[in-house]
Amino acid sequence: MQELTHYIDGTHIKGTSGRFANVMNPATGEIQGKVPLASKDELYNAVSVAAKAQPAWGAVNPQRRARVMMKFVDLLNRDMQKLAETLSREHGKTIPDAAGDVQRGLEVVEYCIGAPHLLKGEYTDSAGPGIDMYSMRQALGVTAGITPFNFPAMIPMWMFAPAIACGNAFILKPSERDPSVPLMLAELMEEAGLPKGILQVVNGDKEAVDAILENDLIQSIGFVGSTPIAEYIYANGCKNGKRVQCFGGAKNHMIIMPDADMDQAADALVGAGYGAAGERCMAISVAVPVGDETADRLIEKLIPRIEKLKVGPYTSGNDVDYGPVVTADAKKNIERLVQTGIDQGAQLLVDGRNFSLQGYEDGFFVGPHLFDHATKDMDIYTQEIFGPVLTQVRAKTYEEAIGLAMDHEYGNGTAIFTRDGDTARDFANRINIGMVGINVPIPVPLAYHTFGGWKKSVFGDLNQHGPDAFKFYTRTKTVTARWPSGIKEGEEFSIPVME
Ligand code: NAD
């Protein structure tokens, strides 16, 4: 069994707390490794290493920092297969999905190569006689990020790439469920030329997270994970005077209008609902067809597609549509919620319970489920299931459909399928949700836009990646400079004042 480490000051360090978590192979149900869970002292030690290393890195010119990012992109491409296999083995997702996880992170790194441009300040010449005014963006110092299990490559890169490109040191506390890829990423960053201590990985659980919240040297915290933990980290991080951005759970609705291309809508729902076993914060978990006729036509198209889905281990190659869920507990929770759906009166049209795969009987596989006639009060509708379960809620009108999505407490992503431009435009304008797809089921913005939901899916002001990340990871300083030689004889010294 593999014993994993922390990555501190450029070295793999064994845990000293005596506490460990099991790292599972979700396909076989076997324990494949042990990850150390850091104590407060171990976390604090990493922070002091980061605090010593950061000033020199912050002083490196942005172009040189960008060159580290360029090299890192090359190394990610070089090691893509190895990263994807390691990721699949711990997470369970298929190899193409795992490579996509690395690729979407890589694209954020590519964006960060633009750091010299993105960090440029503003300049006002002659704000007054002999007076110029300029602003610059400076690094915060030591920053930290806490990431979820479902994108163990992409989400750490969303955070550490801009933080480091801005000149910060970054402490990553990845999910304890799949910690190997984050450790590999830290090694690759150093191979790309990053000085030791600028990117460190401290594995752990609540104890390490609480230490991040309490440590005075940590200036900012990024978090992605479930909403209750997002709320906890946001409240306590802000209370302790840190800059905090937290991204939480989701329940993404897709509205299907009667004029939609029904084959396209059904294909989209199957990919977005069941891909990655539904363990995506942008997965579509609720289908809202408008009108019973639309609902019936959709179901007719959906069922055969769902029944064709192939569920299996990542080692089966491209033949598999999705793999196991991440842990036995995750599987139990999905099964519990499915049971509430049945008990509360939804119709289970595709029953994925008791799914079993020969040779992988102990794996955490869950067959695909499809509910119809669910209502707003049911647990399968109100709660995030994070599994391969698609729930259809029928709406009589467009207004009722949009109202459902608007009233739900989560607001991460949503989509509408229609051929009507007016309806699509109205939907995009009125909906109170952060990421909107028009005939696109998973509208994840590319690296040069920003990613973030609304309502209980987000806590904080700025989004992830894109221009917002360069704001989140820097402070603005504005300098007003007077050079007396610029004042002409007899001219009075003044700058414009606010009335
Ligand atoms: P999680 O909240 O269980 O864990 C996220 C991180 O928080 C992990 O690093 C974990 O170690 C830590 N953590 C867990 N319990 C904690 C506690 N009590 N105190 C302090 N820290 C704790 O989430 P997960 O199961 O790893 O990921 C799935 C969730 O993440 C889903 O809800 C999904 O919607 C959400 N997610 C959201 C986004 C987004 O951008 N909005 C993206 C991906 C995932």
Side-chain angles (χ1 to χ4, degrees):
M1 188 198 306
Q2 196 189 2
E3 186 174 328
L4 294 157
T5 59
H6 306 297
Y7 194 75
I8 315 253
D9 204 7
T11 314
H12 286 278
I13 307 265
K14 284 191 168 197
T16 56
S17 71
R19 295 192 310 122
F20 292 89
N22 290 332
V23 179
M24 309 301 292
N25 179 336
T28 61
E30 287 163 354
I31 301 172
Q32 58 176 322
K34 278 188 346 175
V35 60
L37 302 175
S39 63
K40 180 175 175 176
D41 285 350
E42 287 172 294
L43 191 282
Y44 271 45
N45 173 45
V47 176
S48 32
V49 169
K52 276 197 204 104
Q54 188 276 327
W57 176 245
V60 167
N61 79 54
Q63 204 162 356
R64 282 177 185 270
R65 293 201 298 257
R67 284 190 197 129
V68 172
M69 296 294 163
M70 276 186 226
K71 178 78 181 152
F72 182 50
V73 168
D74 288 345
L75 299 177
L76 288 171
N77 279 316
R78 182 195 72 189
D79 288 358
M80 183 65 82
Q81 188 63 18
K82 196 162 89 182
L83 287 161
E85 275 172 22
T86 308
L87 199 158
S88 292
R89 197 164 54 242
E90 290 183 355
H91 177 287
K93 62 174 82 172
T94 63
I95 294 278
D97 241 3
D101 191 332
V102 180
Q103 176 64 29
R104 292 308 292 265
L106 179 156
E107 288 164 13
V108 172
V109 182
E110 283 175 334
Y111 177 77
C112 293
I113 293 170
H117 172 70
L118 291 159
L119 289 169
K120 279 191 310 203
E122 293 173 328
Y123 189 90
T124 301
D125 171 49
S126 299
I131 296 177
D132 305 319
M133 206 174 274
Y134 59 95
S135 64
M136 48 180 138
R137 308 204 70 92
Q138 293 192 326
L140 303 175
V142 181
T143 58
I146 300 151
T147 52
F149 81 86
N150 68 327
F151 283 98
M154 177 183 83
I155 295 179
M157 285 191 264
W158 277 1
M159 296 183 188
F160 76 65
I164 288 172
C166 289
N168 298 287
F170 190 88
I171 294 186
L172 172 63
K173 204 304 282 168
S175 170
E176 59 275 44
R177 315 220 184 291
D178 41 19
S180 290
V181 166
L183 289 164
M184 290 163 79
L185 296 177
E187 281 176 4
L188 290 179
M189 280 290 278
E190 277 184 27
E191 191 181 338
L194 189 72
K196 293 183 196 322
I198 298 301
L199 176 58
Q200 302 180 96
V201 180
V202 180
N203 283 303
D205 57 2
K206 185 174 184 331
E207 187 170 336
V209 171
D210 284 341
I212 289 174
L213 289 168
E214 286 159 19
N215 188 290
D216 287 339
L217 291 175
I218 293 179
Q219 303 296 314
S220 77
I221 302 176
F223 170 86
V224 178
S226 58
T227 287
I229 313 295
E231 279 181 302
Y232 170 77
I233 290 174
Y234 190 70
N236 287 286
C238 291
K239 193 177 80 193
N240 293 343
K242 300 182 192 311
R243 186 178 288 195
V244 192
Q245 57 172 191
C246 294
F247 298 84
K251 195 80 181 173
N252 303 319
H253 294 53
M254 178 167 135
I255 292 172
I256 303 99
M257 296 300 291
D259 66 350
D261 178 324
M262 221 43 78
D263 284 302
Q264 208 184 69
D267 286 340
L269 274 171
V270 170
Y274 301 97
E279 290 176 322
R280 291 181 182 136
C281 68
M282 289 294 277
I284 295 287
S285 47
V286 182
V288 189
V290 172
D292 276 332
E293 204 216 324
T294 313
D296 294 340
R297 278 194 292 141
L298 186 62
I299 289 291
E300 209 175 285
K301 301 269 183 195
L302 274 176
I303 290 178
R305 284 169 165 82
I306 296 170
E307 285 173 346
K308 267 197 220 126
L309 284 171
K310 290 201 188 112
V311 184
Y314 75 93
T315 42
S316 305
N318 289 345
D319 282 350
V320 170
D321 292 300
Y322 73 83
V325 297
V326 69
T327 56
D329 280 350
K331 180 175 167 166
K332 258 191 228 136
N333 191 44
I334 295 163
E335 288 168 348
R336 178 186 66 77
L337 279 161
V338 166
Q339 192 56 48
T340 67
I342 298 165
D343 296 344
Q344 291 169 8
Q347 264 180 28
L348 186 58
L349 298 184
V350 179
D351 186 351
R353 291 173 298 168
N354 306 320
F355 176 89
S356 177
L357 201 62
Q358 206 180 0
Y360 294 90
E361 287 80 2
D362 295 329
F364 312 134
F365 293 97
V366 181
H369 295 73
L370 175 66
F371 277 109
D372 194 8
H373 295 285
T375 53
K376 326 206 282 197
D377 50 329
M378 293 180 184
D379 294 353
I380 52 167
Y381 179 71
T382 56
Q383 295 183 31
E384 183 179 38
I385 302 177
F386 226 53
V389 182
L390 181 65
T391 299
Q392 177 158 283
V393 182
R394 295 172 176 231
K396 288 194 177 58
T397 61
Y398 166 69
E399 284 303 325
E400 188 186 336
I402 192 172
L404 277 167
M406 304 257 282
D407 290 347
H408 204 285
E409 66 170 342
Y410 292 119
N412 214 37
T414 187
I416 187 163
F417 272 61
T418 178
R419 288 188 172 97
D420 185 80
D422 277 358
T423 311
R425 189 166 181 278
D426 179 76
F427 181 75
N429 284 338
R430 275 169 62 201
I431 197 79
N432 55 358
I433 289 173
M435 292 172 280
V436 182
I438 297 172
N439 298 316
V440 171
I442 305 191
V444 176
L446 291 176
Y448 39 90
H449 286 266
T450 70
F451 181 107
W454 288 16
K455 299 188 276 183
K456 288 262 179 182
S457 297
V458 74
F459 302 86
D461 307 318
L462 292 167
N463 275 354
Q464 309 249 28
H465 64 67
D468 275 14
F470 279 73
K471 291 195 182 123
F472 183 73
Y473 287 111
T474 55
R475 284 190 186 93
T476 304
K477 185 182 278 174
T478 309
V479 179
T480 305
R482 176 172 72 102
W483 295 102
S485 60
I487 302 175
K488 293 192 193 81
E489 209 178 321
E491 198 173 51
E492 215 173 285
F493 164 69
S494 70
I495 56 172
V497 285
M498 285 175 68
E499 294 294 320

